[in-house]
Amino acid sequence: MARWRTPVPTGPRPDGPAQPGEQDILPQRDRPDVARPLTRADLAQALRVCAVDPVSSVLATARLEIAARSGFGAASGQAWGFPAVGKLEAVCWAGANLVPVIPLTDPDRRAEAVAAFAELARVHGRRSSSIVGEQWAALGLWEHLSPHWPPARDVRADQPSMAIGTAPSLAPEPTVRRSVPAELGLVLPACVRMFTEEVGYSPVASGGSAYAERVRALITEGRSFVRVVSDGGGRPAVGFKAELGAVAGGVAQVQGVWVEPAFRGRGWSESGMAAVVAATRASIAPVVSLYVNAYNERAVAAYRRVGFEQVGTFATVLF
């Protein structure tokens, strides 16, 4: 299995009651200060928690919507809820990514939710390739888990979360368009190069069929955007690309923004992102979001020129 995609956590069955003899991972799950795995019956309430801040929760909301439609198996993960009894106040998606959604304002209650989710994650063991979410929640989880989980490969502690809900401030590049299924062989290498630059290893180093299928799905769903140019030898090449990695709750989150190195410094990311924003708002979601490393000052400035505004701060812990 490719490194970018990790196994679904084990434990109580979220699609139904535990099977005879199946061990309960939380014998004290009826306590109000712990979290519990959610069932499909809980998902409407979980989605209401996410709706408090649709931009910060879009990653979790997208998986929860799939689980609500087709089950947790189709969504490739579990949902955890806090508290274990009573009305849900916070949720955490546990799949390829561990994504806390804790829309609480009281600092003490926030800390209780983080500790409760960390305890569930500790019991399950490290099965996610990253922890990602609002800065205080993601780093809080890692503070609890770092004594128990293997060391992180990288901690990106300051990632502005940015969003735009209006027309872009710049003219869209007219040649940016959705890619089509026949272009998988063109788009996939660009995606692999972007991933390797950003994360530090190739997503296809161990075969990578799951990664290729993910790229194929994004193309098929109309969530892959490209600017195709000549490579100088008369062959087509991807000069700019971006994907909508998560779409849910009226928000589309852009991921995988990349410009071929030979074309960097020409404003292609700005005009390309303007095109992605315009196309996305026209037919997919009214709000477009992304998050970016604060040290990438050129990217932050480029997104601001397009019209994105910072609405929060994320953090990502990579394994």
Side-chain angles (χ1 to χ4, degrees):
M1 181 172 289
R3 292 173 62 187
W4 75 280
R5 189 171 181 178
T6 52
V8 177
T10 58
R13 299 175 182 269
D15 287 306
Q19 300 299 304
E22 187 172 50
Q23 184 180 9
D24 189 337
I25 64 168
L26 273 183
Q28 300 182 50
R29 64 190 181 282
D30 292 332
R31 285 169 38 197
D33 58 340
V34 300
R36 63 176 174 88
L38 301 180
T39 69
R40 290 182 74 176
D42 298 308
L43 291 182
Q45 191 178 170
L47 286 167
R48 285 194 290 272
V49 171
C50 291
V52 174
D53 186 348
V55 170
S56 69
S57 66
V58 63
L59 288 170
T61 304
R63 308 317 298 175
L64 292 171
E65 289 184 352
I66 294 172
R69 290 194 304 268
S70 306
F72 283 91
S76 301
Q78 282 189 341
W80 302 336
F82 172 86
V85 294
K87 182 180 178 181
L88 289 182
E89 300 175 30
V91 298
C92 184
W93 179 256
N97 306 298
L98 193 65
V99 187
V101 179
I102 308 175
L104 297 168
T105 56
D106 178 75
D108 293 335
R109 195 59 170 163
R110 279 183 168 188
E112 289 177 1
V114 169
F117 289 140
E119 177 61 17
L120 266 182
R122 185 193 64 78
V123 170
H124 282 302
R126 204 277 292 174
R127 297 175 180 270
S128 299
S129 60
S130 72
I131 303 171
V132 58
E134 289 190 277
Q135 183 185 60
W136 62 269
L139 296 181
L141 275 176
W142 181 231
E143 182 177 0
H144 283 281
L145 292 170
S146 57
H148 309 286
W149 281 13
R153 188 165 45 80
D154 193 9
V155 178
R156 300 179 177 183
D158 187 1
Q159 298 178 306
S161 170
M162 309 181 78
I164 181 172
T166 62
S169 302
L170 302 175
E173 167 54 47
T175 62
V176 170
R177 56 170 175 78
R178 287 177 170 86
S179 57
V180 298
E183 294 175 313
L184 177 64
L186 186 66
V187 176
L188 180 59
C191 292
V192 170
R193 291 177 65 188
M194 178 283 305
F195 190 103
T196 304
E197 285 183 22
E198 176 66 19
V199 182
Y201 66 86
S202 170
V204 296
S206 302
S209 60
Y211 184 79
E213 286 306 310
R214 170 63 172 168
V215 175
R216 185 194 305 274
L218 291 172
I219 294 173
T220 301
E221 294 165 10
R223 291 162 51 181
S224 165
F225 294 85
V226 293
R227 179 178 180 178
V228 177
V229 297
S230 171
D231 68 354
R235 296 177 298 273
V238 173
F240 164 88
K241 76 158 198 77
E243 293 84 42
L244 304 179
V247 177
V251 178
Q253 186 181 86
V254 179
Q255 299 173 0
V257 180
W258 182 82
V259 175
E260 160 64 44
F263 300 110
R264 292 175 186 174
R266 303 184 185 185
W268 282 31
S269 60
E270 291 97 323
S271 61
M273 281 299 296
V276 171
V277 168
T280 300
R281 295 191 67 249
S283 61
I284 297 177
V287 176
V288 182
S289 73
L290 54 83
Y291 58 99
V292 59
N293 294 312
Y295 60 74
N296 193 346
E297 296 178 356
R298 291 181 64 180
V300 173
Y303 297 140
R304 290 192 185 279
R305 285 193 289 271
V306 175
F308 284 86
E309 297 180 351
Q310 184 170 354
V311 295
T313 304
F314 272 28
T316 302
V317 181
L318 295 167
F319 302 102

